[in-house]
Amino acid sequence: MPLMIDNRIAEEALTMNDAIGAMESALKQLAEGDAVYQPRTDLWSPTATVGDYFRWGSLLGAIKDPPVLAFRFKLDIMTWQEYNGAVTEHWFNVEPGKYCGIILLVDTRTGELLCIMNDGYLQSYRVGATAGVGVKHLSRTDSKVMGVLGSGAMARTYAMATCAVRPIEHIKIFSPTQANREAYANKMSEVLQIKVTAVNSAREAMSGVDIGATCTDSRIPLFQADWLQTGMHVVDVRPEELESEIYEKADVMIGTSNLAVLNYALGTQEERDRRPIDDNYMRRYTNRNHTTLSEVLTGEKPGREDDAQTTVHHNFSAGIQFAAVGYLVYRYAKENGLGHELPLEWFQQDIRN
């Protein structure tokens, strides 16, 4: 019987070490032809009555071991705001503070729907775990200081993943809202049992660090190219966070994938232009054909070759992340009798489709 699995179960099931291991395996399978995914696809409609735009976002991916496919979709009402010089993106479902993101996990041996999951907790874990794989294979092994921009869920999982694979002793965090950065510093110092300091600027957060992570929803660059330091490793959440010059300045540029986001919008040209989305900006990075993290893991292409090199990991989303990490949650729920069972016949029919 398929299971309905909520965020509470996902939080209980996941550890960062397990998530990193699952992602490393999935990415190796991708290089070997045993995993596949479609690029993220966003469909936009100007019909929102309580926000600026409606967005459907979806990711799809499958891996051979374990033999599962994951389809994740989210239903967002979008708004954009300018805050402290940055254009930030906000979303909700029906009303502010509520969200709708669903993952369908399928057994590819039989086509059986294994579970329906909320994506809230798993979402940040799958991206953080992928960042952790990149840190493990691209940063200097003696990296001890980390800088973080942002104080949300991604900022937390990026720090957790980095500390899981490197001997981090100090994290510097900047977020524009003082209360948020101080709350992050207090919480993460307790979680990670290391020194975490809230600082007063993005430049200060990235000064003198071995690993820099940009974990924001900004639609304009925050990390300046001249902040890139000898031997530094940088990982982002979205390409807009980094000045485009950094892609030319870095010694090694790695992408989780070569595929970014496919945007499709309905409405008049005026309505389409209302979205602060630079499709050409995304396309420039998609078309660069960067070395992928999968190719580095299998040794097909080089990553970092000496401690003086600067490395940048552009952490594009890929559907195999939900397949790899989602299966960990499903297996845990199944083994521990958790989740709400749903009749399989609800999802089957006797009419050929």
Side-chain angles (χ1 to χ4, degrees):
M1 285 186 172
L3 294 177
M4 181 67 200
I5 299 174
D6 61 20
N7 287 316
R8 176 186 57 82
I9 295 172
E11 182 176 10
E12 181 180 331
L14 288 174
T15 69
M16 185 54 73
N17 283 328
D18 286 346
I20 290 172
M23 273 313 310
E24 191 164 14
S25 172
L27 289 166
K28 287 179 179 177
Q29 291 181 67
L30 182 62
E32 294 163 353
D34 288 331
V36 68
Y37 63 92
Q38 290 180 356
R40 172 173 166 167
T41 302
D42 286 355
L43 282 79
W44 301 80
S45 173
T47 51
T49 57
V50 288
D52 297 327
Y53 238 86
F54 167 77
R55 177 184 67 184
W56 155 282
S58 64
L59 287 165
L60 176 67
I63 55 179
K64 192 172 183 180
D65 181 22
V68 293
L69 174 147
F71 176 53
R72 181 267 197 142
F73 61 90
K74 58 200 302 276
L75 314 175
D76 300 323
I77 298 298
M78 305 297 301
T79 64
W80 295 273
Q81 297 176 353
E82 186 171 340
Y83 180 67
N84 279 7
V87 176
T88 60
E89 187 178 78
H90 301 274
W91 58 89
F92 57 88
N93 180 261
V94 181
E95 60 182 284
K98 299 294 183 181
Y99 308 92
C100 182
I102 302 295
I103 303 164
L104 306 180
L105 194 68
V106 176
D107 186 330
T108 55
R109 296 169 300 183
T110 64
E112 178 184 359
L113 177 65
L114 296 176
C115 65
I116 302 172
M117 289 187 280
N118 293 128
D119 76 339
Y121 195 80
L122 200 147
Q123 151 71 4
S124 60
Y125 249 74
R126 58 104 189 181
V127 183
T130 309
V133 176
V135 170
K136 178 180 177 181
H137 291 274
L138 297 170
S139 70
R140 300 193 330 270
T141 57
D142 63 348
S143 297
K144 291 181 172 60
V145 183
M146 180 182 189
V148 177
L149 302 184
S151 58
M154 295 294 188
R156 293 192 294 271
T157 58
Y158 272 46
M160 291 165 61
T162 299
C163 289
V165 298
R166 287 292 182 260
I168 301 299
E169 298 175 354
H170 183 201
I171 294 176
K172 298 192 293 180
I173 155 71
F174 173 74
S175 179
T177 303
Q178 182 176 351
N180 290 349
R181 62 182 182 255
E182 290 179 352
Y184 177 98
N186 292 333
K187 177 65 175 178
M188 295 310 293
S189 62
E190 178 182 340
V191 170
L192 300 172
Q193 292 295 294
I194 63 172
K195 181 181 178 182
V196 182
T197 306
V199 297
N200 295 321
S201 70
R203 180 183 291 274
E204 185 179 357
M206 291 298 165
S207 177
V209 304
D210 304 306
I211 297 170
T214 59
C215 307
T216 75
D217 57 10
S218 176
R219 284 292 181 180
I220 63 174
L222 300 176
F223 188 103
Q224 299 178 20
D226 62 5
W227 295 356
L228 198 61
Q229 301 149 53
T230 300
M232 188 179 186
H233 174 67
V234 177
V235 56
D236 63 15
V237 168
R238 59 176 75 210
E240 298 97 318
E241 295 177 303
L242 308 183
E243 280 190 337
S244 59
E245 291 81 4
I246 196 173
Y247 291 87
E248 307 299 336
K249 186 175 180 180
D251 296 310
V252 180
M253 174 62 203
I254 304 295
T256 296
S257 69
N258 273 324
L259 300 175
V261 180
L262 301 180
N263 281 295
Y264 301 95
L266 60 93
T268 65
Q269 189 62 50
E270 181 180 359
E271 287 171 327
R272 297 182 193 187
D273 291 342
R274 192 169 81 221
R275 303 171 303 132
I277 307 297
D278 183 353
D279 293 333
N280 290 324
Y281 187 96
M282 296 297 294
R283 194 173 297 113
R284 285 196 294 273
Y285 294 106
T286 304
N287 292 340
R288 282 176 181 266
N289 195 30
H290 296 310
T291 296
T292 66
L293 188 53
S294 295
E295 293 169 325
V296 173
L297 296 183
T298 58
E300 183 179 345
K301 292 187 179 179
R304 175 181 292 274
E305 296 183 289
D306 64 63
D307 284 351
Q309 286 185 315
T310 53
T311 56
V312 174
H313 174 199
H314 180 40
N315 200 5
F316 273 134
S317 293
I320 60 170
Q321 296 168 319
F322 285 106
V325 182
Y327 184 77
L328 295 179
V329 176
Y330 168 75
R331 185 180 64 189
Y332 179 89
K334 196 74 173 174
E335 291 174 350
N336 291 277
L338 301 174
H340 181 73
E341 290 188 341
L342 305 173
L344 182 60
E345 55 265 27
W346 284 6
F347 306 96
Q348 293 178 316
Q349 57 188 351
D350 59 7
I351 301 173
R352 184 174 178 178
N353 51 19

